[in-house]
Amino acid sequence: MALVKSPKTLQNRLASRSLPPSYFPDFDSHLGLAPMLLLQGVKKTFVDAAAARLPILDIEHFATAAGEQMVVRGRSGSGKTTLLHVIAGISRADAGKVEIDGVDITRLPEAGRDRFRADKIGYIFQTFNLLPAFSALENVLLGMSFSGGRADRARAIGLLEQVGLKHRMDHSPQKLSVGEQQRVAVARALANRPKLLLADEPTANVDPANQQQIVDLIRQRCEDEKIALVLVTHETEVAEQFDRVETIESFNQVLSNS
Amino acid sequence: MSLWKIAWRSIQQRRLSSLLTGFSMALGVALVILVLVIYGVVDDRFHEGGEGYHLIVGAKGGKLQLVLNTVFHLSQPIENVPYSVYKEFTAGKFASSTELAVPCCMGDSYQAGGQTFRVVGTTPDMFDKLPAGYTEKGEPRPYRFQSGGRNFKHENFFEAVIGSVVANVSGLKVGDSFQPAHGIVEEGEDPHVHDDFKIVGILEPSGTPNDRALFVNMEGFYLLEDHSKPASKSTPQTDHADEHAHDAHDHDAAHAHDETHDHEHAPPAQSNEEPQERDGAPPEPAAAIGVTDSVETTQQPARDEHGHDEHGHDDHAHGEHDHGAHAHDHHGHDHHAHHEPLPESQREVTAILVVASNTMGMESLLAQQMFTMINEGQEAQAVFPTKEVHDLFATVVGPVQLILLILSMLIVVVAGIGIMVSIYNTMSERGHEIAVMRALGAGRGTVMAIVLFESILLSLAGGLAGVLLGHAMIGLASPYVVNQTGVTLHMFQFDWKELALIPGLVALATLVGFIPALAAYRTDVSKSLTARP
């Protein structure tokens, strides 16, 4: 699949699929950039214990341009994490297209999605999810281990230096403060030079003193490396710092219809 | 970071659990090592012990008993055969087919350090001409004597050579003397001791059963009390009937004799071949001893008639032969210096080690011919020691070893199942960890491989520890085993079958790791990620 190089090209391609350019007003009018992330007609339904089908996502359209930084807000249980899982290919959409850097990952086999995720997507978890058996440096190297290339130790150290933790790189996560752990998680998410960074409530478990530091760190690194950022948060102070803020209700029809 | 390292870190994370499961694997593997190495050593020693000669000839009876007693100093002697049987190999009908015949007279023992060692009367050929074993290249490995020692000499009747284990246990040195006890005396029994033999050599450790035996000059052995065949039972060498029924070590009978000491023995016609020189005295042909074989008295040990009456050793209480009190007065070997060799008619041997002549490369054929002819007769039996040892291993030792090996393998399998349970039990708590790896881009196959590697590493680490533990146990047990059995065990004695442990453990680990690995494979990433770690 060819990569989308420009809005024009994208529009042409979309047009060729009999979709009118007006179908993507936000894309053209607000950004003028090629989409790094594009969701079209994405549906996701869970089956509960009683075998009842529970729709979670019904997204007609959602897009993010390369290098764009945006916030998705929403109340608890609104499907924000599921959205990120679908984008990352951790969960497979029941229907629709999830295109990242021009690749529709819904068409990839699971192993392909895993490799694509390792190469192109960085993921920051709300609970950091550092592996306790590994040092800070090894956690960052771990992020590199599952992509095709060799683990770049120098880059891992460099990233820890950028997040201010080079002096603690040999410490295990248990010996790091909460703020330090999240900074290691940021370094790990950036390890493979992703094109898209997904951050799921990255400041929710961080003390207020460190919250802004984490947000600044994430935004700065994404800006420096031209990484598109989709940050999910319910915290207003965080959301207000972004130019583009979307509520999940605005594009998830499951919620808007309910 | 390699998957191996990731797996190793996971093992480190659960240190105690990993140590315990690894230790159980180590114990299992150590047992396998013990069984393999000990069996290997026993197998080598037994097979080596039966090599160096083609036949063992002895009294009719149990074949295996003859081999065990003669070669390995185990079990009890069957009976004795007339000396004439031995002479067949040196000057009789088998002489042309025989390269070497080494007689062995058994039945005496020596106690030291709470252990009983066998005393064997033989000729110097035992150490001069028979090999102690063979090198890996198949070359004969001769017996060697420790510094300052030598083989006993034919003409010095009361010289002896002792095995290295005997020397270690007893503290006997070259120049010391020892008194063999009559019969195989067990610990706690009151031994009836003979006159003393002077030790002239201590064997270097040979790893053979001979390390645990004392070897005395057969000529001196014959002159010991009760070691001559009673004259009334001695038969012409052509008449072998009922010879094997005689018990030369019938202690009670020996003590019951009348001690008249006035009879004379006639040497047999062929008796001019055995040692003629004693303690430096000029050799004296037995034929010239001037005694007749047509004895009148019965149950008279030749030692008494020659040793005491003729030479008037008054300082000995042998005139009355108070054996109950053992009133021997041992003054070195001077009292033996003037003994005459025992007439051949009064001699018996317990076994003969026969090396067939290698004329035109027909030694096997000649050995087979002798084997057949001897076994067709009534007087003695011949056995192929290697065949008996092989049969023993094939029918008894081998199956026992197999059972032990299977049992220790089962322990390894149980330890493997322990590893599976240990890893599997952690899977619920590791679900989140695996999900994180999956979210970072690890595929299902990758996390499955990590769990399998973990199982393999635990098994191999436990197995390696088991190999070291097993060899350490062998090293620790070595001094005890050497003293008890004469079999030398080295800490780093290696059995090539140990190599099979590596692929075996990997296969086992893969098998037992498969179930937890499958659990890792099936981890629901989305669900596990949203669950609190």
Side-chain angles (χ1 to χ4, degrees):
Chain A
M1 185 180 291
L3 295 179
V4 178
K5 296 294 183 187
S6 68
K8 188 75 175 173
T9 309
L10 178 67
Q11 284 180 338
N12 290 342
R13 289 185 62 217
L14 293 172
S16 71
R17 294 177 194 176
S18 305
L19 292 170
S22 58
Y23 193 79
F24 309 102
D26 292 341
F27 173 72
D28 246 354
S29 58
H30 293 290
L31 304 172
L33 297 170
M36 176 54 64
L37 169 67
L38 175 63
L39 274 65
Q40 281 185 334
V42 170
K43 295 182 191 298
K44 181 67 183 174
T45 302
F46 286 145
V47 179
D48 65 14
R53 296 179 66 82
L54 184 66
I56 301 294
L57 299 177
D58 184 0
I59 301 171
E60 193 66 23
H61 168 258
F62 179 81
T64 305
E68 183 187 13
Q69 298 183 359
M70 68 167 294
V71 159
V72 175
R73 299 189 64 189
R75 58 183 163 79
S76 203
S78 59
K80 300 189 296 295
T81 298
T82 303
L83 171 66
L84 293 186
H85 284 184
V86 167
I87 292 171
I90 292 170
S91 291
R92 190 165 198 168
D94 298 332
K97 180 170 79 171
V98 178
E99 196 172 279
I100 299 167
D101 201 15
V103 177
D104 182 0
I105 64 169
T106 61
R107 296 190 176 189
L108 296 175
E110 187 179 38
R113 289 205 309 276
D114 294 333
R115 175 56 64 87
F116 186 86
R117 183 164 61 249
D119 289 342
K120 303 281 186 180
I121 302 171
Y123 204 117
I124 300 171
F125 303 91
Q126 179 178 342
T127 50
F128 327 136
N129 287 337
L130 298 180
L131 299 185
F134 301 86
S135 68
L137 176 62
E138 287 169 339
N139 265 284
V140 178
L141 288 169
L142 197 66
M144 300 174 170
S145 300
F146 305 123
S147 69
R150 287 174 60 88
D152 187 343
R153 188 179 172 86
R155 174 168 169 79
I157 294 172
L159 283 168
L160 284 173
E161 190 172 15
Q162 287 166 17
V163 300
L165 287 174
K166 186 182 178 186
H167 63 293
R168 307 207 65 181
M169 65 183 187
D170 292 326
H171 288 70
S172 64
Q174 299 92 316
K175 292 178 181 169
L176 300 176
S177 70
V178 171
E180 286 173 330
Q181 287 184 48
Q182 190 60 303
R183 280 191 274 160
V184 174
V186 171
R188 182 179 66 184
L190 296 169
N192 288 332
R193 294 188 171 86
K195 294 288 178 71
L196 173 65
L197 182 63
L198 306 174
D200 188 0
E201 303 274 12
T203 56
N205 287 337
V206 180
D207 57 282
N210 277 299
Q211 276 184 357
Q212 190 56 49
Q213 222 178 358
I214 296 294
V215 172
D216 290 345
L217 179 64
I218 293 171
R219 297 197 69 182
Q220 188 60 51
R221 297 311 317 151
C222 286
E223 190 175 328
D224 290 349
E225 301 198 21
K226 303 287 186 290
I227 300 168
L229 170 66
V230 177
L231 189 147
V232 167
T233 184
H234 64 274
E235 295 175 62
T236 308
E237 312 85 70
V238 174
E240 282 174 345
Q241 299 176 42
F242 286 78
D243 292 336
R244 184 181 172 198
V245 178
E246 301 266 1
T247 59
I248 192 165
E249 291 84 354
S250 67
F251 57 87
N252 183 4
Q253 293 172 25
V254 171
L255 300 170
S256 54
N257 294 338
S258 62
Chain B
M1 190 181 298
S2 71
L3 299 185
W4 289 105
K5 187 169 183 181
I6 295 170
W8 181 245
R9 280 303 164 88
S10 182
I11 290 171
Q12 286 180 311
Q13 191 183 357
R14 285 170 290 281
R15 197 161 285 141
L16 181 62
S17 162
S18 301
L19 270 176
L20 290 175
T21 49
F23 184 64
S24 67
M25 177 60 77
L27 281 180
V29 170
L31 281 175
V32 173
I33 295 290
L34 284 175
V35 172
L36 284 177
V37 171
I38 290 176
Y39 178 80
V41 170
V42 170
D43 184 67
D44 285 349
R45 291 295 172 266
F46 264 75
H47 282 93
E48 200 174 59
E51 291 174 346
Y53 37 86
H54 298 99
L55 295 173
I56 297 176
V57 177
K60 282 190 180 293
K63 292 179 177 178
L64 183 60
Q65 188 180 356
L66 179 60
V67 175
L68 289 177
N69 181 56
T70 308
V71 182
F72 303 106
H73 310 305
L74 301 170
S75 186
Q76 297 292 321
I78 304 173
E79 285 290 345
N80 295 323
V81 292
Y83 197 71
S84 56
V85 174
Y86 167 59
K87 296 293 289 184
E88 295 286 7
F89 296 95
T90 59
K93 61 184 174 187
F94 298 129
S96 60
S97 304
T98 304
E99 176 78 27
L100 175 68
V102 178
C104 296
C105 300
M106 286 169 278
D108 279 2
S109 61
Y110 179 73
Q111 278 197 312
Q115 298 184 49
T116 300
F117 301 102
R118 303 294 175 94
V119 176
V120 180
T122 186
T123 62
D125 287 348
M126 171 70 84
F127 305 111
D128 287 342
K129 296 181 179 174
L130 288 179
Y134 290 88
T135 63
E136 289 180 358
K137 294 178 181 174
E139 294 166 351
R141 182 163 49 84
Y143 284 100
R144 296 183 192 284
F145 292 91
Q146 293 181 15
S147 176
R150 60 169 173 78
N151 197 0
F152 62 80
K153 290 184 178 174
H154 210 72
E155 61 271 23
N156 298 341
F157 288 5
F158 286 88
E159 285 187 348
V161 161
I162 65 173
S164 57
V165 172
V166 179
N168 286 339
V169 172
S170 67
L172 290 171
K173 303 182 294 296
V174 171
D176 289 349
S177 295
F178 73 95
Q179 295 167 307
H182 193 68
I184 309 300
V185 180
E186 297 301 331
E187 191 178 358
E189 292 180 25
D190 182 24
H192 175 179
V193 295
H194 289 301
D195 292 344
D196 48 358
F197 281 81
K198 184 180 179 183
I199 298 165
V200 296
I202 297 172
L203 293 170
E204 289 277 7
S206 62
T208 69
N210 288 347
D211 290 344
R212 288 181 50 79
L214 303 91
F215 299 88
V216 302
N217 191 332
M218 188 173 73
E219 296 302 324
F221 187 90
Y222 280 135
L223 296 182
L224 295 177
E225 182 182 323
D226 304 332
H227 283 188
S228 61
K229 183 168 61 174
S232 64
K233 291 189 179 179
S234 61
T235 55
Q237 290 181 359
T238 52
D239 179 11
H240 301 305
D242 298 326
E243 283 290 356
H244 59 276
H246 167 64
D247 181 4
H249 300 289
D250 183 348
H251 208 172
D252 295 335
H255 281 252
H257 56 235
D258 193 29
E259 319 289 353
T260 54
H261 300 256
D262 57 358
H263 60 283
E264 291 181 319
H265 283 197
Q270 302 94 318
S271 64
N272 57 353
E273 174 172 307
E274 284 304 304
Q276 311 302 320
E277 186 181 29
R278 298 143 299 158
D279 294 352
E284 186 176 348
I289 290 174
V291 292
T292 70
D293 199 26
S294 56
V295 293
E296 296 171 16
T297 53
T298 60
Q299 298 178 327
Q300 174 56 49
R303 175 192 171 281
D304 297 328
E305 79 178 29
H306 294 298
H308 303 290
D309 291 343
E310 288 181 14
H311 300 286
H313 281 205
D314 294 332
D315 56 343
H316 284 48
H318 292 199
E320 292 303 318
H321 276 261
D322 182 4
H323 292 296
H326 300 295
H328 305 298
D329 183 11
H330 301 290
H331 294 285
H333 302 286
D334 290 346
H335 62 293
H336 301 298
H338 307 294
H339 281 293
E340 301 297 337
L342 185 71
E344 290 185 0
S345 61
Q346 289 186 269
R347 296 181 174 203
E348 292 177 318
V349 295
T350 314
I352 307 155
L353 311 178
V354 179
V355 180
S357 174
N358 194 23
T359 309
M360 299 170 66
M362 296 175 69
E363 53 184 351
S364 296
L365 184 62
L366 292 173
Q368 183 62 50
Q369 278 179 347
M370 286 192 283
F371 173 85
T372 306
M373 290 175 71
I374 293 166
N375 286 326
E376 282 174 355
Q378 299 298 314
E379 198 166 44
Q381 69 168 339
V383 297
F384 289 110
T386 48
K387 178 185 178 302
E388 295 305 319
V389 169
H390 179 269
D391 289 350
L392 173 68
F393 271 72
T395 56
V396 181
V397 184
V400 169
Q401 187 244 7
L402 187 63
I403 290 168
L404 286 175
L405 202 56
I406 289 171
L407 285 176
S408 49
M409 292 284 206
L410 280 177
I411 293 173
V412 172
V413 171
V414 169
I417 293 171
I419 288 177
M420 179 187 75
V421 171
S422 165
I423 297 177
Y424 190 79
N425 283 343
T426 65
M427 290 316 292
S428 56
E429 65 191 63
R430 293 176 65 185
H432 185 80
E433 185 180 310
I434 288 165
V436 172
M437 288 191 205
R438 292 290 316 278
L440 293 175
R444 286 185 190 273
T446 303
V447 293
M448 190 176 183
I450 289 170
V451 174
L452 278 178
F453 287 175
E454 191 177 325
S455 175
I456 290 170
L457 280 175
L458 258 181
S459 297
L460 284 179
L464 181 64
V467 170
L468 296 175
L469 182 67
H471 284 281
M473 287 164 76
I474 289 167
L476 287 174
S478 179
Y480 178 79
V481 173
V482 167
N483 279 346
Q484 292 296 316
T485 67
V487 174
T488 309
L489 294 174
H490 297 293
M491 183 183 280
F492 298 108
Q493 203 134 13
F494 184 78
D495 190 301
W496 66 269
K497 295 187 203 74
E498 291 178 41
L499 287 176
L501 280 170
I502 297 170
L505 285 175
V506 171
L508 176 67
T510 306
L511 204 62
V512 300
F514 187 76
I515 292 176
L518 202 59
Y521 183 89
R522 288 176 172 167
T523 298
D524 185 332
V525 182
S526 187
K527 197 172 171 183
S528 300
L529 277 177
T530 48
R532 286 278 172 185

